[in-house]
Amino acid sequence: MSFRSCLSIVLAAGLGTRMRSSRAKVLHEIGGLSLVGHVLTALRSASVERIAVVVGPQMEDLENQVRQLVPEAGCYVQNERLGTAHAALAARPALEAGADDVLVLFGDTPLVSPETILRVREQLAQGADVAVLGFEAQNPAGYGRLLVEGGRLVAIREDKDATLEEKAVTFCNSGIMGFCGKAALELLDAIGNANAKGEFYLTDAVEIANSRGLTVQAVEGSEDEVQGINTRAQLARCEAVFQARKRAEAMENGVTLQAPETVHFSHDTVLGEDVVVEPNVVFGPGVKVQPGARIRAFSHLEGASVGTGCTVGPFARLRPGASLSPQAHVGNFVEIKNATIGQGAKVNHLSYVGDASVGSAANIGAGTITCNYDGFSKHRTEIGAKSFIGSNSTLVAPVSIGPGSYVGAGSTVTDNVPGDSLVIGRGRQVIKQGRAKTLRARLQAAKDGRK
Protein backbone atom coordinates (compact mmCIF):
# COMPACT_ATOMS: atom_id res chain seq x y z
CA MET A 1 0.00 0.00 0.00
CA SER A 2 1.47 3.31 -1.09
CA PHE A 3 1.49 6.13 1.43
CA ARG A 4 -1.96 7.35 2.38
CA SER A 5 -2.64 9.90 5.07
CA CYS A 6 -4.87 8.65 7.85
CA LEU A 7 -7.00 10.17 10.59
CA SER A 8 -8.33 7.92 13.31
CA ILE A 9 -11.17 9.02 15.57
CA VAL A 10 -11.26 7.11 18.86
CA LEU A 11 -14.60 7.28 20.64
CA ALA A 12 -13.97 7.39 24.39
CA ALA A 13 -16.70 9.57 25.87
CA GLY A 14 -18.76 6.74 27.40
CA LEU A 15 -19.40 6.86 31.13
CA GLY A 16 -19.17 3.11 31.60
CA THR A 17 -21.78 3.06 34.37
CA ARG A 18 -21.88 -0.74 34.35
CA MET A 19 -18.26 -0.78 35.50
CA ARG A 20 -19.42 0.81 38.78
CA SER A 21 -16.30 2.93 38.99
CA SER A 22 -15.33 6.55 39.54
CA ARG A 23 -12.78 6.18 36.73
CA ALA A 24 -13.57 6.65 33.07
CA LYS A 25 -14.20 3.23 31.55
CA VAL A 26 -11.40 3.49 29.01
CA LEU A 27 -8.86 4.20 31.80
CA HIS A 28 -9.29 0.73 33.26
CA GLU A 29 -6.28 -1.42 32.45
CA ILE A 30 -5.30 -4.62 30.72
CA GLY A 31 -1.71 -5.73 31.13
CA GLY A 32 -0.87 -2.52 33.00
CA LEU A 33 -2.00 -0.24 30.14
CA SER A 34 -5.34 1.55 29.87
CA LEU A 35 -7.91 0.30 27.37
CA VAL A 36 -7.57 3.48 25.33
CA GLY A 37 -3.78 3.15 25.58
CA HIS A 38 -3.96 -0.22 23.83
CA VAL A 39 -6.03 1.30 21.03
CA LEU A 40 -3.65 4.24 20.62
CA THR A 41 -0.65 1.90 20.55
CA ALA A 42 -2.25 -0.26 17.86
CA LEU A 43 -3.02 2.80 15.75
CA ARG A 44 0.54 4.05 15.91
CA SER A 45 1.78 0.58 14.93
CA ALA A 46 -0.59 0.72 11.93
CA SER A 47 1.07 3.96 10.71
CA VAL A 48 -1.85 6.20 11.64
CA GLU A 49 -0.23 9.61 11.87
CA ARG A 50 -3.22 11.67 13.10
CA ILE A 51 -5.37 10.68 16.06
CA ALA A 52 -8.42 12.44 17.47
CA VAL A 53 -9.92 11.20 20.73
CA VAL A 54 -13.51 12.09 21.59
CA VAL A 55 -13.98 12.49 25.34
CA GLY A 56 -16.85 13.48 27.58
CA PRO A 57 -17.14 16.60 29.71
CA GLN A 58 -14.86 16.79 32.74
CA MET A 59 -12.63 13.92 31.64
CA GLU A 60 -9.35 15.69 32.32
CA ASP A 61 -7.67 12.47 33.52
CA LEU A 62 -8.44 10.85 30.18
CA GLU A 63 -7.23 13.86 28.21
CA ASN A 64 -4.00 13.92 30.22
CA GLN A 65 -3.34 10.25 29.56
CA VAL A 66 -4.03 10.60 25.84
CA ARG A 67 -1.55 13.45 25.58
CA GLN A 68 0.99 11.53 27.64
CA LEU A 69 0.78 8.53 25.31
CA VAL A 70 0.39 10.46 22.04
CA PRO A 71 1.40 14.11 22.60
CA GLU A 72 0.25 15.22 19.16
CA ALA A 73 -3.24 13.70 19.51
CA GLY A 74 -6.22 16.03 19.59
CA CYS A 75 -8.98 15.71 22.20
CA TYR A 76 -12.53 16.76 21.36
CA VAL A 77 -15.40 16.99 23.84
CA GLN A 78 -18.79 15.44 23.10
CA ASN A 79 -20.96 17.52 25.41
CA GLU A 80 -24.12 15.50 24.76
CA ARG A 81 -24.00 11.75 24.23
CA LEU A 82 -26.29 11.33 21.24
CA GLY A 83 -24.88 8.26 19.54
CA THR A 84 -21.76 7.07 17.75
CA ALA A 85 -22.10 9.25 14.65
CA HIS A 86 -22.70 12.28 16.83
CA ALA A 87 -19.55 11.35 18.77
CA ALA A 88 -17.47 11.06 15.60
CA LEU A 89 -18.67 14.49 14.46
CA ALA A 90 -17.39 15.99 17.71
CA ALA A 91 -14.01 15.75 15.96
CA ARG A 92 -15.30 17.83 13.02
CA PRO A 93 -12.20 20.11 12.92
CA ALA A 94 -10.01 17.04 12.44
CA LEU A 95 -12.34 15.72 9.73
CA GLU A 96 -12.38 19.06 7.94
CA ALA A 97 -8.57 19.01 7.81
CA GLY A 98 -8.89 16.00 5.48
CA ALA A 99 -7.14 12.65 5.11
CA ASP A 100 -7.05 9.83 2.59
CA ASP A 101 -8.39 7.36 5.18
CA VAL A 102 -10.64 8.03 8.15
CA LEU A 103 -11.03 5.31 10.78
CA VAL A 104 -13.49 5.24 13.66
CA LEU A 105 -12.62 2.97 16.59
CA PHE A 106 -13.72 2.61 20.19
CA GLY A 107 -11.60 3.28 23.25
CA ASP A 108 -13.13 0.29 25.03
CA THR A 109 -12.08 -2.24 22.35
CA PRO A 110 -8.45 -2.72 23.36
CA LEU A 111 -7.42 -5.90 21.57
CA VAL A 112 -7.77 -4.87 17.93
CA SER A 113 -4.46 -5.57 16.22
CA PRO A 114 -2.40 -3.28 13.99
CA GLU A 115 -2.63 -5.94 11.27
CA THR A 116 -6.43 -5.79 11.28
CA ILE A 117 -6.41 -2.00 11.20
CA LEU A 118 -4.13 -2.19 8.18
CA ARG A 119 -6.55 -4.59 6.46
CA VAL A 120 -9.33 -2.01 6.86
CA ARG A 121 -7.03 0.62 5.37
CA GLU A 122 -6.14 -1.74 2.52
CA GLN A 123 -9.81 -1.95 1.54
CA LEU A 124 -9.97 1.84 1.40
CA ALA A 125 -6.79 1.93 -0.69
CA GLN A 126 -8.41 -0.51 -3.13
CA GLY A 127 -11.34 1.81 -3.69
CA ALA A 128 -13.90 1.17 -0.95
CA ASP A 129 -15.74 4.26 0.23
CA VAL A 130 -16.78 2.53 3.46
CA ALA A 131 -15.13 -0.51 5.07
CA VAL A 132 -16.73 -2.21 8.08
CA LEU A 133 -14.82 -4.59 10.35
CA GLY A 134 -16.79 -7.73 11.13
CA PHE A 135 -16.19 -11.07 12.83
CA GLU A 136 -17.60 -14.58 12.87
CA ALA A 137 -19.43 -14.89 16.19
CA GLN A 138 -19.77 -18.17 18.05
CA ASN A 139 -23.04 -16.83 19.43
CA PRO A 140 -24.33 -13.96 17.28
CA ALA A 141 -27.33 -13.12 19.49
CA GLY A 142 -27.41 -9.42 20.28
CA TYR A 143 -24.97 -8.37 17.56
CA GLY A 144 -25.77 -6.48 14.40
CA ARG A 145 -25.44 -8.76 11.35
CA LEU A 146 -23.37 -7.84 8.30
CA LEU A 147 -25.38 -8.75 5.22
CA VAL A 148 -23.09 -9.33 2.27
CA GLU A 149 -24.29 -9.89 -1.29
CA GLY A 150 -22.03 -10.38 -4.28
CA GLY A 151 -18.99 -9.43 -2.24
CA ARG A 152 -20.52 -6.11 -1.15
CA LEU A 153 -21.85 -5.15 2.26
CA VAL A 154 -25.45 -4.18 1.61
CA ALA A 155 -26.71 -3.61 5.16
CA ILE A 156 -26.08 -3.86 8.88
CA ARG A 157 -29.16 -5.35 10.47
CA GLU A 158 -29.61 -4.92 14.21
CA ASP A 159 -30.52 -8.10 16.04
CA LYS A 160 -33.93 -6.82 17.12
CA ASP A 161 -34.81 -5.94 13.52
CA ALA A 162 -33.46 -9.09 11.86
CA THR A 163 -35.64 -11.69 10.18
CA LEU A 164 -35.24 -15.34 11.16
CA GLU A 165 -33.09 -15.86 8.08
CA GLU A 166 -30.91 -12.87 8.98
CA LYS A 167 -30.59 -14.01 12.58
CA ALA A 168 -28.90 -17.15 11.26
CA VAL A 169 -26.06 -15.01 9.87
CA THR A 170 -22.97 -15.30 12.09
CA PHE A 171 -20.93 -12.52 10.44
CA CYS A 172 -21.38 -9.67 12.89
CA ASN A 173 -20.57 -5.99 13.23
CA SER A 174 -17.64 -4.90 15.44
CA GLY A 175 -18.55 -1.22 15.18
CA ILE A 176 -15.11 -0.32 13.79
CA MET A 177 -15.37 1.43 10.42
CA GLY A 178 -13.20 3.06 7.81
CA PHE A 179 -14.17 5.80 5.35
CA CYS A 180 -12.64 7.23 2.24
CA GLY A 181 -11.56 10.66 3.38
CA LYS A 182 -13.39 12.45 0.57
CA ALA A 183 -16.71 10.90 1.56
CA ALA A 184 -16.36 10.71 5.34
CA LEU A 185 -17.72 14.06 6.49
CA GLU A 186 -20.55 14.09 3.94
CA LEU A 187 -21.70 10.63 5.01
CA LEU A 188 -21.52 11.43 8.72
CA ASP A 189 -23.48 14.64 8.23
CA ALA A 190 -26.16 12.72 6.36
CA ILE A 191 -26.91 10.41 9.29
CA GLY A 192 -30.20 11.26 10.98
CA ASN A 193 -31.78 10.36 14.31
CA ALA A 194 -35.21 9.10 13.26
CA ASN A 195 -35.16 6.13 15.62
CA ALA A 196 -36.62 5.15 18.98
CA LYS A 197 -33.73 6.66 20.96
CA GLY A 198 -33.35 9.78 18.85
CA GLU A 199 -29.61 9.07 18.42
CA PHE A 200 -27.24 9.30 15.46
CA TYR A 201 -25.88 5.83 14.66
CA LEU A 202 -22.63 5.35 12.77
CA THR A 203 -23.93 2.13 11.23
CA ASP A 204 -26.48 4.13 9.21
CA ALA A 205 -23.57 5.25 7.02
CA VAL A 206 -23.69 1.86 5.27
CA GLU A 207 -27.27 2.32 4.04
CA ILE A 208 -26.62 5.93 3.03
CA ALA A 209 -23.45 5.00 1.14
CA ASN A 210 -25.22 2.19 -0.73
CA SER A 211 -28.11 4.48 -1.64
CA ARG A 212 -25.61 6.86 -3.23
CA GLY A 213 -23.93 4.13 -5.26
CA LEU A 214 -20.75 4.15 -3.18
CA THR A 215 -18.67 1.04 -2.60
CA VAL A 216 -19.16 -0.61 0.79
CA GLN A 217 -17.02 -3.57 1.84
CA ALA A 218 -16.66 -5.78 4.91
CA VAL A 219 -13.34 -6.84 6.44
CA GLU A 220 -13.08 -9.83 8.76
CA GLY A 221 -11.23 -9.82 12.08
CA SER A 222 -11.26 -12.29 14.94
CA GLU A 223 -13.96 -12.31 17.60
CA ASP A 224 -11.33 -12.07 20.36
CA GLU A 225 -9.82 -8.83 19.10
CA VAL A 226 -13.04 -6.88 18.62
CA GLN A 227 -14.71 -7.60 21.95
CA GLY A 228 -15.71 -4.44 23.76
CA ILE A 229 -15.73 -3.88 27.49
CA ASN A 230 -18.72 -2.71 29.48
CA THR A 231 -18.42 -4.73 32.69
CA ARG A 232 -15.73 -6.00 35.05
CA ALA A 233 -16.42 -9.54 33.82
CA GLN A 234 -15.74 -8.48 30.23
CA LEU A 235 -12.58 -6.72 31.43
CA ALA A 236 -11.41 -10.00 32.95
CA ARG A 237 -12.17 -11.91 29.74
CA CYS A 238 -10.15 -9.42 27.69
CA GLU A 239 -7.30 -9.68 30.19
CA ALA A 240 -7.31 -13.45 29.70
CA VAL A 241 -7.10 -13.08 25.92
CA PHE A 242 -4.30 -10.54 26.24
CA GLN A 243 -2.31 -12.79 28.59
CA ALA A 244 -2.73 -15.77 26.28
CA ARG A 245 -1.35 -13.67 23.41
CA LYS A 246 1.65 -12.53 25.41
CA ARG A 247 2.46 -16.06 26.58
CA ALA A 248 2.29 -17.42 23.05
CA GLU A 249 4.46 -14.56 21.79
CA ALA A 250 7.07 -15.15 24.50
CA MET A 251 7.36 -18.87 23.79
CA GLU A 252 7.50 -18.22 20.04
CA ASN A 253 10.46 -15.91 20.73
CA GLY A 254 12.46 -18.53 22.64
CA VAL A 255 11.28 -18.12 26.24
CA THR A 256 10.53 -21.16 28.39
CA LEU A 257 7.37 -20.79 30.46
CA GLN A 258 7.16 -23.82 32.74
CA ALA A 259 3.51 -23.19 33.57
CA PRO A 260 2.33 -20.61 31.01
CA GLU A 261 -1.15 -20.17 32.41
CA THR A 262 0.29 -18.95 35.75
CA VAL A 263 2.59 -16.23 34.35
CA HIS A 264 1.19 -12.69 34.18
CA PHE A 265 2.63 -10.24 31.64
CA SER A 266 2.49 -6.48 31.27
CA HIS A 267 1.92 -4.81 27.92
CA ASP A 268 5.62 -3.87 27.65
CA THR A 269 7.35 -6.93 29.11
CA VAL A 270 10.50 -7.83 27.17
CA LEU A 271 12.09 -11.27 27.65
CA GLY A 272 15.22 -12.38 25.81
CA GLU A 273 15.98 -15.77 24.31
CA ASP A 274 16.51 -18.69 26.66
CA VAL A 275 14.93 -16.91 29.60
CA VAL A 276 13.24 -19.42 31.88
CA VAL A 277 10.19 -18.35 33.82
CA GLU A 278 8.97 -20.67 36.55
CA PRO A 279 5.34 -20.82 37.75
CA ASN A 280 3.39 -17.95 39.30
CA VAL A 281 5.56 -15.03 38.20
CA VAL A 282 4.11 -11.54 37.73
CA PHE A 283 5.70 -9.01 35.38
CA GLY A 284 4.47 -5.49 36.08
CA PRO A 285 5.10 -2.58 33.71
CA GLY A 286 8.61 -1.69 32.64
CA VAL A 287 10.43 -5.03 32.93
CA LYS A 288 13.23 -6.14 30.63
CA VAL A 289 14.98 -9.48 31.09
CA GLN A 290 18.14 -10.27 29.13
CA PRO A 291 18.87 -13.67 27.56
CA GLY A 292 19.64 -16.65 29.74
CA ALA A 293 18.17 -15.29 32.97
CA ARG A 294 15.99 -17.42 35.20
CA ILE A 295 12.98 -16.02 37.06
CA ARG A 296 12.04 -18.46 39.77
CA ALA A 297 8.57 -19.16 41.08
CA PHE A 298 6.36 -16.61 42.85
CA SER A 299 8.51 -13.60 42.00
CA HIS A 300 7.11 -10.13 41.26
CA LEU A 301 8.99 -7.70 39.00
CA GLU A 302 8.08 -4.11 38.12
CA GLY A 303 10.16 -1.35 36.54
CA ALA A 304 13.21 -3.59 36.68
CA SER A 305 16.08 -4.62 34.44
CA VAL A 306 17.54 -8.13 34.73
CA GLY A 307 20.89 -8.86 33.12
CA THR A 308 22.14 -11.86 31.18
CA GLY A 309 22.37 -15.05 33.20
CA CYS A 310 20.83 -13.62 36.37
CA THR A 311 18.75 -15.63 38.80
CA VAL A 312 15.79 -14.03 40.53
CA GLY A 313 13.74 -15.69 43.27
CA PRO A 314 11.89 -17.72 44.27
CA PHE A 315 9.64 -15.29 46.14
CA ALA A 316 11.69 -12.23 45.15
CA ARG A 317 10.41 -8.73 44.54
CA LEU A 318 12.10 -6.32 42.15
CA ARG A 319 10.61 -2.85 42.47
CA PRO A 320 11.06 0.16 40.14
CA GLY A 321 14.67 1.12 39.59
CA ALA A 322 16.05 -2.34 40.33
CA SER A 323 18.87 -3.12 37.91
CA LEU A 324 20.69 -6.45 37.99
CA SER A 325 24.00 -6.76 36.16
CA PRO A 326 24.92 -10.03 34.41
CA GLN A 327 25.16 -13.14 36.58
CA ALA A 328 23.76 -11.42 39.68
CA HIS A 329 21.70 -13.51 42.09
CA VAL A 330 18.67 -12.26 43.99
CA GLY A 331 17.17 -14.99 46.10
CA ASN A 332 14.16 -15.90 48.18
CA PHE A 333 12.29 -13.21 50.08
CA VAL A 334 14.63 -10.47 48.85
CA GLU A 335 13.34 -7.04 47.86
CA ILE A 336 15.33 -4.70 45.61
CA LYS A 337 14.23 -1.10 45.01
CA ASN A 338 16.03 1.66 43.09
CA ALA A 339 19.29 -0.22 43.41
CA THR A 340 22.02 -1.58 41.16
CA ILE A 341 23.31 -5.07 41.83
CA GLY A 342 26.75 -5.53 40.27
CA GLN A 343 27.97 -8.37 38.09
CA GLY A 344 28.07 -11.65 39.95
CA ALA A 345 26.89 -10.10 43.22
CA LYS A 346 24.61 -12.15 45.46
CA VAL A 347 21.71 -11.13 47.65
CA ASN A 348 20.40 -14.57 48.34
CA HIS A 349 18.17 -14.52 51.42
CA LEU A 350 15.65 -12.42 53.33
CA SER A 351 17.14 -8.98 52.63
CA TYR A 352 16.04 -5.49 51.63
CA VAL A 353 18.32 -3.41 49.40
CA GLY A 354 16.88 -0.02 48.53
CA ASP A 355 18.47 3.17 47.15
CA ALA A 356 21.79 1.40 46.92
CA SER A 357 24.64 0.28 44.74
CA VAL A 358 26.13 -3.17 45.28
CA GLY A 359 29.50 -3.75 43.63
CA SER A 360 30.46 -6.73 41.52
CA ALA A 361 31.02 -10.04 43.30
CA ALA A 362 29.78 -8.64 46.61
CA ASN A 363 27.89 -10.94 48.95
CA ILE A 364 24.97 -9.69 51.01
CA GLY A 365 24.15 -12.00 53.91
CA ALA A 366 20.69 -13.08 55.04
CA GLY A 367 18.64 -10.51 56.87
CA THR A 368 20.64 -7.49 55.70
CA ILE A 369 18.77 -4.24 55.26
CA THR A 370 19.73 -0.85 53.92
CA CYS A 371 18.05 1.75 56.13
CA ASN A 372 17.39 4.23 53.34
CA TYR A 373 14.59 6.28 54.88
CA ASP A 374 14.91 8.43 58.01
CA GLY A 375 11.25 9.33 58.14
CA PHE A 376 11.66 12.38 55.92
CA SER A 377 14.18 11.70 53.14
CA LYS A 378 15.73 8.81 51.22
CA HIS A 379 19.50 8.22 51.39
CA ARG A 380 21.85 5.94 49.46
CA THR A 381 24.09 3.08 50.49
CA GLU A 382 27.21 2.26 48.49
CA ILE A 383 28.66 -1.25 48.87
CA GLY A 384 31.99 -1.84 47.14
CA ALA A 385 33.05 -4.71 44.95
CA LYS A 386 33.87 -8.03 46.64
CA SER A 387 32.55 -6.80 49.97
CA PHE A 388 31.02 -9.28 52.38
CA ILE A 389 28.08 -8.17 54.48
CA GLY A 390 27.33 -10.58 57.33
CA SER A 391 23.86 -11.79 58.21
CA ASN A 392 21.44 -9.50 60.04
CA SER A 393 23.48 -6.39 59.31
CA THR A 394 21.88 -2.95 59.29
CA LEU A 395 23.41 -0.36 57.00
CA VAL A 396 22.21 3.11 58.01
CA ALA A 397 22.28 5.40 54.99
CA PRO A 398 23.91 7.55 53.86
CA VAL A 399 26.87 5.24 54.21
CA SER A 400 29.52 3.66 52.01
CA ILE A 401 31.42 0.42 52.48
CA GLY A 402 34.68 0.24 50.59
CA PRO A 403 35.68 -2.60 48.24
CA GLY A 404 36.79 -5.83 49.83
CA SER A 405 35.49 -5.01 53.30
CA TYR A 406 33.94 -7.45 55.76
CA VAL A 407 31.00 -6.49 57.95
CA GLY A 408 30.46 -8.88 60.84
CA ALA A 409 27.10 -10.53 61.37
CA GLY A 410 24.62 -8.47 63.35
CA SER A 411 26.50 -5.19 62.82
CA THR A 412 24.90 -1.77 62.61
CA VAL A 413 26.98 0.41 60.31
CA THR A 414 26.51 4.17 60.59
CA ASP A 415 29.89 5.48 59.41
CA ASN A 416 31.71 5.10 56.11
CA VAL A 417 34.00 2.07 55.96
CA PRO A 418 37.33 2.22 54.09
CA GLY A 419 38.18 -0.56 51.65
CA ASP A 420 39.55 -3.87 52.95
CA SER A 421 38.31 -3.15 56.48
CA LEU A 422 36.69 -5.39 59.06
CA VAL A 423 33.66 -3.96 60.83
CA ILE A 424 32.15 -5.39 63.98
CA GLY A 425 29.40 -2.96 64.83
CA ARG A 426 27.68 -4.54 67.80
CA GLY A 427 27.25 -2.60 71.07
CA ARG A 428 25.17 -2.25 74.19
CA GLN A 429 21.65 -0.89 74.00
CA VAL A 430 21.37 2.77 74.92
CA ILE A 431 18.04 4.46 75.69
CA LYS A 432 17.72 8.26 75.66
CA GLN A 433 14.23 9.22 76.64
CA GLY A 434 12.59 12.10 74.78
CA ARG A 435 15.27 12.25 72.12
CA ALA A 436 12.96 10.87 69.37
CA LYS A 437 10.72 13.93 69.65
CA THR A 438 13.72 16.24 69.38
CA LEU A 439 15.06 14.28 66.41
CA ARG A 440 11.74 14.50 64.53
CA ALA A 441 11.60 18.25 65.09
CA ARG A 442 15.17 18.66 63.83
CA LEU A 443 14.53 16.59 60.72
CA GLN A 444 11.30 18.46 59.99
CA ALA A 445 13.08 21.79 60.33
CA ALA A 446 15.78 20.60 57.94
CA LYS A 447 13.17 19.42 55.45
CA ASP A 448 11.29 22.72 55.67
CA GLY A 449 14.52 24.56 55.02
CA ARG A 450 15.00 22.70 51.74
CA LYS A 451 11.61 23.74 50.37
Side-chain angles (χ1 to χ4, degrees):
M1 183 171 67
S2 60
F3 175 77
R4 294 171 61 88
S5 61
C6 185
L7 165 68
S8 180
I9 301 172
V10 179
L11 307 185
L15 293 173
T17 53
R18 292 169 64 191
M19 297 290 285
R20 296 187 180 274
S21 174
S22 59
R23 302 170 66 191
K25 176 173 66 171
V26 298
L27 290 182
H28 287 266
E29 296 181 346
I30 285 178
L33 180 65
S34 67
L35 307 184
V36 71
H38 281 278
V39 177
L40 296 176
T41 299
L43 288 171
R44 297 307 297 269
S45 297
S47 301
V48 174
E49 72 275 12
R50 291 174 53 216
I51 297 175
V53 181
V54 177
V55 304
Q58 299 179 335
M59 285 187 171
E60 291 82 5
D61 289 348
L62 173 55
E63 292 188 44
N64 290 338
Q65 181 160 130
V66 168
R67 293 192 176 103
Q68 181 182 355
L69 294 169
V70 184
E72 66 274 20
C75 289
Y76 300 87
V77 179
Q78 182 190 19
N79 288 303
E80 295 182 274
R81 295 174 174 87
L82 298 177
T84 49
H86 180 265
L89 283 170
R92 182 180 293 273
L95 286 162
E96 290 175 342
D100 294 321
D101 301 337
V102 174
L103 307 178
V104 181
L105 297 92
F106 297 86
D108 62 359
T109 307
L111 300 182
V112 63
S113 69
E115 293 75 19
T116 296
I117 294 170
L118 285 170
R119 288 207 304 276
V120 175
R121 294 193 64 191
E122 185 64 36
Q123 281 290 336
L124 299 174
Q126 292 175 3
D129 296 293
V130 179
V132 178
L133 179 62
F135 64 97
E136 285 290 337
Q138 292 184 347
N139 178 10
Y143 291 113
R145 309 306 204 277
L146 299 186
L147 306 181
V148 179
E149 296 179 5
R152 294 179 54 141
L153 178 62
V154 297
I156 300 177
R157 188 79 72 234
E158 294 305 319
D159 185 65
K160 64 181 183 299
D161 299 323
T163 64
L164 287 177
E165 183 180 2
E166 290 168 344
K167 284 181 182 292
V169 173
T170 56
F171 192 34
C172 296
N173 178 34
S174 74
I176 295 172
M177 298 179 68
F179 297 88
C180 167
K182 293 180 180 179
L185 189 54
E186 184 178 347
L187 286 172
L188 292 172
D189 276 333
I191 294 173
N193 65 341
N195 53 67
K197 289 188 175 182
E199 294 186 353
F200 300 84
Y201 296 128
L202 193 64
T203 51
D204 288 352
V206 170
E207 182 179 351
I208 294 169
N210 276 314
S211 70
R212 296 182 179 186
L214 300 178
T215 301
V216 184
Q217 298 287 349
V219 180
E220 185 174 346
S222 70
E223 184 170 11
D224 278 347
E225 70 178 318
V226 298
Q227 57 185 303
I229 294 174
N230 292 302
T231 66
R232 305 276 184 165
Q234 291 170 344
L235 182 69
R237 286 197 288 272
C238 276
E239 181 76 58
V241 172
F242 171 81
Q243 293 299 331
R245 283 185 183 179
K246 294 294 286 186
R247 293 163 189 152
E249 177 186 321
M251 291 185 286
E252 182 68 23
N253 291 334
V255 175
T256 294
L257 304 180
Q258 292 183 341
E261 68 282 0
T262 70
V263 178
H264 185 95
F265 286 93
S266 184
H267 68 101
D268 58 356
T269 305
V270 178
L271 305 180
E273 290 183 1
D274 294 320
V275 167
V276 176
V277 182
E278 296 182 4
N280 297 296
V281 171
V282 175
F283 294 102
V287 175
K288 187 171 185 178
V289 181
Q290 298 294 337
R294 189 179 193 98
I295 313 299
R296 295 192 178 277
F298 294 98
S299 294
H300 189 288
L301 296 78
E302 180 180 358
S305 174
V306 178
T308 303
C310 288
T311 300
V312 176
F315 294 97
R317 185 182 182 195
L318 302 187
R319 291 172 58 193
S323 178
L324 277 55
S325 301
Q327 310 303 322
H329 288 196
V330 170
N332 49 285
F333 302 103
V334 171
E335 180 177 343
I336 308 292
K337 190 273 295 185
N338 191 31
T340 300
I341 310 300
Q343 184 166 351
K346 297 179 180 179
V347 190
N348 276 334
H349 319 283
L350 302 156
S351 296
Y352 169 71
V353 179
D355 296 292
S357 176
V358 177
S360 60
N363 188 91
I364 310 298
T368 296
I369 61 171
T370 58
C371 302
N372 56 331
Y373 184 51
D374 61 13
F376 295 88
S377 302
K378 297 289 181 71
H379 304 281
R380 289 194 66 81
T381 298
E382 305 291 335
I383 299 172
K386 298 183 179 180
S387 293
F388 180 92
I389 311 298
S391 298
N392 292 316
S393 292
T394 302
L395 311 181
V396 183
V399 70
S400 65
I401 297 169
S405 292
Y406 275 69
V407 175
S411 294
T412 297
V413 180
T414 58
D415 298 320
N416 292 341
V417 177
D420 294 317
S421 298
L422 171 62
V423 181
I424 302 175
R426 299 185 290 271
R428 296 179 61 189
Q429 177 173 300
V430 178
I431 298 175
K432 296 184 179 182
Q433 291 185 334
R435 286 290 295 277
K437 183 177 180 180
T438 303
L439 176 61
R440 283 194 294 271
R442 186 186 307 159
L443 291 169
Q444 185 64 56
K447 184 177 182 180
D448 292 342
R450 290 194 295 268
K451 291 181 179 178

